[in-house]
Amino acid sequence: MIKKGELQMSKEIAVYVLFFLTFIFGSIYHFSIRRQCIYPVRLTKPRIILSTISPFIFCFIAYIGGNLWSHYILALLAAVFIISGVVGEGIHKKGIYYRPMGHAALLIRLAKWEDIKDIKIDINKNKLHSFRYKTTTIYPGQYYSHEDINEFKKSIKI
């Protein structure tokens, strides 16, 4: 018969394993998108700051949470997951990968080309300002290199 303490411990282990796998496979998903993008998003100062600060924040949370090695590993995996999402957006041959709710969304989504209408690009700032996806206007706030944004503009014939 399983004791109450053992049951609690096995639930805790199951939650850790679930988080570990989620962060690992989510990071792999985001980095693979980055690698496959025709025009990957440029790392701006806010994206670099978020990528730099997130490991420290998660490690501080792990320290407060009990200072166990498993907490630190989970914290670093969470930080890599956040960083992978920050760099994973971009323009792909299938469509545009974006975060549906800004940086609050966990996984990047794909807006397929056949569902995208009315793309607005700010050439002066090298920014993909907005696009209409199905019935919603998305404001991705994605910056690209000058060459990439000009090439993209030519390819969609704006």
Side-chain angles (χ1 to χ4, degrees):
M1 183 170 220
I2 299 177
K3 296 179 184 176
K4 190 173 183 177
E6 291 174 357
L7 184 60
Q8 179 67 25
M9 182 76 132
S10 62
K11 285 182 182 178
E12 202 172 292
I13 290 171
V15 169
Y16 275 114
V17 169
L18 180 66
F19 277 127
F20 283 132
L21 293 176
T22 301
F23 291 147
I24 288 171
F25 288 119
S27 297
I28 291 170
Y29 170 72
H30 289 151
F31 283 129
S32 68
I33 289 172
R34 171 77 177 193
R35 200 187 63 190
Q36 295 171 359
C37 280
I38 300 168
Y39 308 112
V41 71
R42 192 181 83 207
L43 295 178
T44 58
K45 284 183 184 179
R47 288 177 186 257
I48 291 170
I49 290 170
L50 180 65
S51 299
T52 305
I53 291 176
S54 66
F56 294 112
I57 292 171
F58 283 113
C59 284
F60 180 71
I61 292 170
Y63 177 75
I64 291 172
N67 201 14
L68 300 172
W69 65 269
S70 59
H71 291 160
Y72 286 108
I73 291 174
L74 187 62
L76 291 176
L77 286 174
V80 169
F81 177 71
I82 296 296
I83 292 167
S84 70
V86 167
V87 302
E89 296 176 289
I91 298 170
H92 193 271
K93 64 182 174 184
K94 296 178 189 175
I96 299 172
Y97 279 99
Y98 70 100
R99 289 186 168 281
M101 299 179 295
H103 291 293
L106 291 180
L107 290 176
I108 296 171
R109 291 204 183 143
L110 174 66
K112 295 184 178 180
W113 289 121
E114 56 267 11
D115 297 328
I116 294 175
K117 310 281 187 282
D118 192 32
I119 297 174
K120 292 184 180 166
I121 298 172
D122 186 349
I123 294 295
N124 296 328
K125 295 182 180 177
N126 300 322
K127 179 180 180 181
L128 174 60
H129 185 267
S130 66
F131 60 90
R132 189 152 179 83
Y133 178 60
K134 295 183 180 176
T135 60
T136 308
T137 300
I138 307 293
Y139 298 92
Q142 297 175 348
Y143 291 86
Y144 295 91
S145 70
H146 184 69
E147 298 82 24
D148 287 351
I149 204 76
N150 283 331
E151 188 76 26
F152 175 62
K153 183 182 175 193
K154 289 176 191 174
S155 69
I156 60 170
K157 297 176 179 90
I158 293 181

